[in-house]
Amino acid sequence: MAARRCASVVLATTVVAVVAAVGVFAWGAEEADARGNATARTCGGGRIDLKANEKRALQLHNRAREQRNLKRLCVHPKLQKAARAHSATMIRKDRFFHGSVGKRLKRHGYEWKTYGENIAGGSGRLGTPESIFKRWMKSRTHRPNILKRGFREVGIGTAIGTFKGKKRYTMYTADFGRRR
């Protein structure tokens, strides 16, 4: 009886380990922490921490690009910082706007040759990366930024808060660029 219990524990532990390994592999061999944050490669070959929604949005962008034989986007830390800051600003000011994108990117230290920006937000199912990305891909003004050959660098920033009275609203900013 004890041997059977021991074998069951070993089997259960093995199953849990395999499921965890498959989960890491499915995540794209990226590391994830207990809060759902992940890391991604930067344009310089390093690593950067992303929130789970940011990481998923990056994966969706790169999947769409790969399906069209376009190069993957890499995360530029300065674009990432600018995108996160803008999403947080929109939540804080309770206002949806682009503002002076070029000036904002330069203020965050990104010396661009060309840039583009997509913003969107939602709560509940409308605030998921999949929903946001689907809306961007259906838009004649947002889709070109995602699929532009000249863009190789991106920062995808999210912020969660109350927006126009809606709690747990997730704001997204995707800043695309090409440096000088």
Side-chain angles (χ1 to χ4, degrees):
M1 188 82 161
R4 223 181 248 169
R5 236 183 265 154
C6 184
S8 294
V9 169
V10 169
L11 179 61
T13 304
T14 302
V15 169
V16 169
V18 168
V19 168
V22 168
V24 168
F25 180 75
W27 188 259
E30 303 290 349
E31 299 168 24
D33 70 16
R35 295 174 313 234
N37 292 346
T39 62
R41 293 181 198 268
T42 64
C43 301
R47 310 289 288 169
I48 190 167
D49 290 329
L50 297 180
K51 298 173 189 174
N53 283 344
E54 294 167 348
K55 175 68 179 184
R56 182 65 182 136
L58 175 64
Q59 290 170 333
L60 293 168
H61 279 75
N62 281 330
R63 182 186 308 155
R65 290 175 65 87
E66 286 173 342
Q67 289 172 345
R68 291 158 180 84
N69 295 317
L70 297 169
K71 291 184 179 181
R72 294 172 58 88
L73 297 167
C74 61
V75 178
H76 192 285
K78 292 177 181 178
L79 286 175
Q80 184 65 29
K81 188 175 179 181
R84 273 192 188 152
H86 190 58
S87 288
T89 297
M90 288 190 288
I91 291 285
R92 188 180 71 255
K93 291 187 174 184
D94 206 24
R95 209 172 115 220
F96 189 78
F97 66 102
H98 285 282
S100 300
V101 180
K103 287 181 182 179
R104 178 169 19 95
L105 297 181
K106 285 187 177 183
R107 197 170 54 248
H108 282 89
Y110 188 78
E111 293 296 326
W112 51 268
K113 179 177 182 177
T114 185
Y115 65 84
E117 181 175 81
N118 290 350
I119 58 175
S123 59
R125 284 182 287 145
L126 293 177
T128 66
E130 291 79 8
S131 175
I132 298 296
F133 188 76
K134 185 184 278 186
R135 284 185 272 156
W136 279 342
M137 287 298 285
K138 287 182 177 181
S139 164
R140 65 177 179 78
T141 57
H142 296 90
R143 181 184 173 103
N145 283 337
I146 295 168
L147 302 177
K148 185 173 180 172
R149 277 189 199 281
F151 290 151
R152 292 293 315 286
E153 300 176 333
V154 70
I156 300 173
T158 62
I160 299 173
T162 301
F163 184 77
K164 304 292 182 194
K166 292 183 183 175
K167 294 181 184 205
R168 302 284 310 149
Y169 191 95
T170 305
M171 190 68 74
Y172 290 77
T173 301
D175 284 328
F176 304 87
R178 183 176 185 165
R179 288 179 280 168
R180 292 179 186 208

